[in-house]
Amino acid sequence: MDGVAQLLPTAVPVAKTSSLASTPTAGTLNDCLGKKNVPIRLTSSSDFSQLATPYNLRLPYTPAVIVLPTTVQHVSDAVTCAAKYNVKVQPRSGGHSYASFSLGGQSGTMVIDLQSFQTVSVDSNGIATVGGGLRLGNMALGIFNQAQRALPHGTCPGVGVGGHATHGGFGLSSRAWGLTLDTIVGLDVVLANGSSVHATATAYPDIYYALRGAADSFGIVTTFYLQTQPAPTSVVNWSFSIPNMFKSAATSANYFLHIQSWAQNASVVDRKLGVGMYMDGQGFSISGTYFGSLTDFNNKIKPELLRGLPTPTSSSATSMTWIQSLTALANGQSLQQPTTGYNQHDDFFAKSVVVPASGAFTAATLTSYFDYIIKNGVNSANPWYSIINLYGGPDSQINAKPSSFSAYSDRTALWVIQHYGYTGNTGVPFPAGIIPFVEGLSNAITSAQPQTVFPGYINYVDPSLTPQQAHSAYYDQATYAKLLAIKGRVDPGKVFWNPQAVGT
């Protein structure tokens, strides 16, 4: 079955955009919400400003209304009212969208804030039931404390599961267990017509497909069902600081080529190894996790990595528990995060570059990259960093999935890079030089290797892209065509919208 016949409950008609635009309606959006007793906040509400403050302070927007549902019915009623009054809708889980799409990406959107959806439980089959507003740290603690289980996910404990899981969800355990998205076995979702359905591989399969990669365009996930793993009894957290990486571009390129060869060496690397690199023009480090013994790491993996690099200025490799590992990766943040009143913000611009295995870094590309950093990044007027994570390599469970598995179709990545420029002081106007500098970091790679197509990673969403550029960066052609067809069937009125949504 291709899922078309099951796509929407036939008892609930989908609203047509044309009737919304041409037929006068009595009352207002707020009247509609009030009649249905939907909890809301308006600009006049005392806590509206706090609720409407974006994670990325560079991109503030003013919602038409913020809905604070406590039930699925509230979500359904809110979406129905928004469709009736032709108001666009976006959900907010943790609110960490780099482009402020969780505030709609424009003023005048209905934001449905899922902060009350905090369920976390694990059944006898290891399936975690997770509320759509849960933050990653709370999720990790909940499933471990209840059942000693674990999931692959990012290291920032304040990120919400909603956008993270539905657009990828990388963590250092992902080479072993896949992306957070890959663990989804079911979702409870409110669709554009206000109906709530439980989508799985066999029930509403097209919706299930679209939500795993493009949920912002298709519905509001109120509950996730995630296949967990037994938490490791021990994890090796490791890190090496490599000196003199910003002296000679050619020399640094050779060092990086060694790291790349090591990362692709099947006699050394398997799914148990997670790898990330960090650089900011001052320091360069390579670090990660290993789901094996400290002895194996020290005798097999560490020597092969370091034999082609300068002697580290600092190094560590420590065996610890799963929760200790997650806590160490959180860089001083507590895994336990507030369910209301979250107040972490930054002021930044970021871009991503996905390096496919078929187009791995060349010496010329890396020389171009380090040359740009040496000339422009070592003494940059504003702080910045690059994070380069290993997605591919031998035995990667991210790339074990076929491209047809979900709407997250990029299963050929070797590296995924995040370039991030920020103010360091959120109280000042955003400096004009940050955006061109960050763009230059990405261009130093892509322009040096024109034969390679470099996609982007949607969880590092880039608001500077046009809709067409975004669709090409985040989805392959076949995937986007399938998403566009599903969008036309389940949300023809484009109720769920942001500036880069499917169909824009």
Side-chain angles (χ1 to χ4, degrees):
M1 184 179 220
D2 66 5
V4 175
Q6 268 195 295
L7 211 50
L8 284 171
T10 55
V12 185
V14 177
K16 300 294 193 294
T17 303
S18 58
S19 64
L20 293 176
S22 60
T23 305
T25 52
T28 65
L29 171 64
N30 295 345
D31 292 335
C32 181
L33 295 167
K35 289 176 182 177
K36 296 177 183 291
N37 295 314
V38 176
I40 64 172
R41 297 294 188 272
L42 304 173
T43 54
S44 57
S45 302
S46 61
D47 56 351
F48 183 89
S49 177
Q50 186 271 324
L51 289 166
T53 301
Y55 175 70
N56 186 357
L57 297 173
R58 188 176 70 84
L59 298 171
Y61 300 105
T62 303
V65 60
I66 298 173
V67 178
L68 295 174
T70 59
T71 66
V72 172
Q73 188 63 52
H74 287 153
V75 178
S76 176
D77 288 341
V79 170
T80 302
C81 288
K84 179 178 180 180
Y85 288 95
N86 204 19
V87 174
K88 302 305 182 186
V89 177
Q90 283 287 269
R92 181 166 63 185
S93 177
H96 278 70
S97 169
Y98 282 15
S100 295
F101 286 172
S102 47
L103 289 177
Q106 66 172 8
S107 293
T109 297
M110 173 187 283
V111 173
I112 299 184
D113 191 315
L114 298 171
Q115 64 179 253
S116 292
F117 289 71
Q118 296 290 324
T119 298
V120 55
S121 63
V122 184
D123 70 13
S124 59
N125 295 313
I127 304 296
T129 299
V130 171
L134 200 65
R135 298 185 188 273
L136 298 182
N138 296 339
M139 180 177 73
L141 287 173
I143 62 175
F144 181 83
N145 291 339
Q146 290 183 38
Q148 289 72 56
R149 306 289 289 190
L151 285 162
H153 54 73
T155 59
C156 180
V159 167
V161 67
H164 189 71
T166 58
H167 298 96
F170 172 82
L172 288 170
S173 57
S174 288
R175 295 190 68 258
W177 296 337
L179 303 168
T180 314
L181 177 148
D182 297 333
T183 73
I184 298 172
V185 296
L187 311 101
D188 293 338
V189 58
V190 174
L191 301 172
N193 64 355
S195 61
S196 176
V197 304
H198 180 66
T200 69
T202 55
Y204 307 101
D206 275 5
I207 292 172
Y208 178 66
Y209 171 88
L211 293 176
R212 294 174 302 128
D216 56 301
S217 298
F218 290 92
I220 298 179
V221 179
T222 55
T223 305
F224 291 85
Y225 301 87
L226 309 174
Q227 179 61 64
T228 65
Q229 299 286 335
T233 54
S234 65
V235 181
V236 176
N237 279 37
W238 57 272
S239 179
F240 304 105
S241 296
I242 309 300
N244 303 319
M245 289 296 286
F246 308 113
K247 302 294 186 183
S248 162
T251 301
S252 295
N254 285 331
Y255 291 150
F256 200 109
L257 285 174
H258 166 72
I259 294 171
Q260 182 168 264
S261 296
W262 166 81
Q264 295 176 294
N265 184 347
S267 68
V268 177
V269 171
D270 61 17
R271 72 178 69 179
K272 294 183 291 186
L273 186 69
V275 180
M277 285 170 278
Y278 173 93
M279 68 184 89
D280 59 9
Q282 304 303 312
F284 181 102
S285 63
I286 180 167
S287 61
T289 56
Y290 179 60
F291 285 3
S293 72
L294 182 59
T295 299
D296 284 350
F297 179 82
N298 284 332
N299 291 343
K300 178 182 177 183
I301 295 169
K302 174 183 173 179
E304 192 63 24
L305 168 62
L306 295 183
R307 69 174 177 82
L309 299 175
T311 301
T313 55
S314 66
S315 63
S316 66
T318 306
S319 182
M320 56 187 69
T321 68
W322 173 244
I323 293 299
Q324 287 172 336
S325 173
L326 293 182
T327 301
L329 294 172
N331 289 322
Q333 296 187 58
S334 170
L335 295 184
Q336 188 71 53
Q337 292 287 303
T339 57
T340 60
Y342 183 84
N343 196 34
Q344 295 291 318
H345 307 283
D346 203 352
D347 195 7
F348 65 95
F349 174 74
K351 294 183 77 73
S352 64
V353 178
V354 175
V355 180
S358 61
F361 284 125
T362 65
T365 300
L366 289 167
T367 300
S368 170
Y369 187 53
F370 281 102
D371 184 64
Y372 181 85
I373 292 172
I374 290 167
K375 290 177 178 177
N376 302 282
V378 171
N379 295 308
S380 174
N382 300 288
W384 65 276
Y385 60 78
S386 296
I387 294 175
I388 305 178
N389 287 121
L390 180 66
Y391 275 50
D395 201 29
S396 169
Q397 296 306 290
I398 299 173
N399 292 348
K401 302 291 187 185
S403 61
S404 59
F405 175 73
S406 68
Y408 182 96
S409 55
D410 184 4
R411 301 294 178 163
T412 63
L414 179 60
W415 306 106
V416 173
I417 307 170
Q418 176 180 193
H419 292 136
Y420 192 105
Y422 59 105
T423 65
N425 180 355
T426 54
V428 301
F430 196 76
I434 290 180
I435 291 177
F437 171 75
V438 171
E439 289 175 335
L441 284 168
S442 295
N443 291 340
I445 294 171
T446 58
S447 63
Q449 207 164 309
Q451 72 277 16
T452 302
V453 175
F454 294 99
Y457 177 44
I458 193 170
N459 266 345
Y460 302 148
V461 64
D462 179 356
S464 72
L465 300 181
T466 67
Q468 293 73 27
Q469 289 171 331
H471 302 155
S472 296
Y474 304 138
Y475 306 104
D476 63 38
Q477 191 171 9
T479 299
Y480 188 72
K482 183 173 181 177
L483 288 172
L484 198 60
I486 299 169
K487 178 76 167 179
R489 294 194 293 271
V490 304
D491 187 13
K494 299 181 180 178
V495 174
F496 298 112
W497 183 97
N498 63 58
Q500 295 176 0
V502 172
T504 54

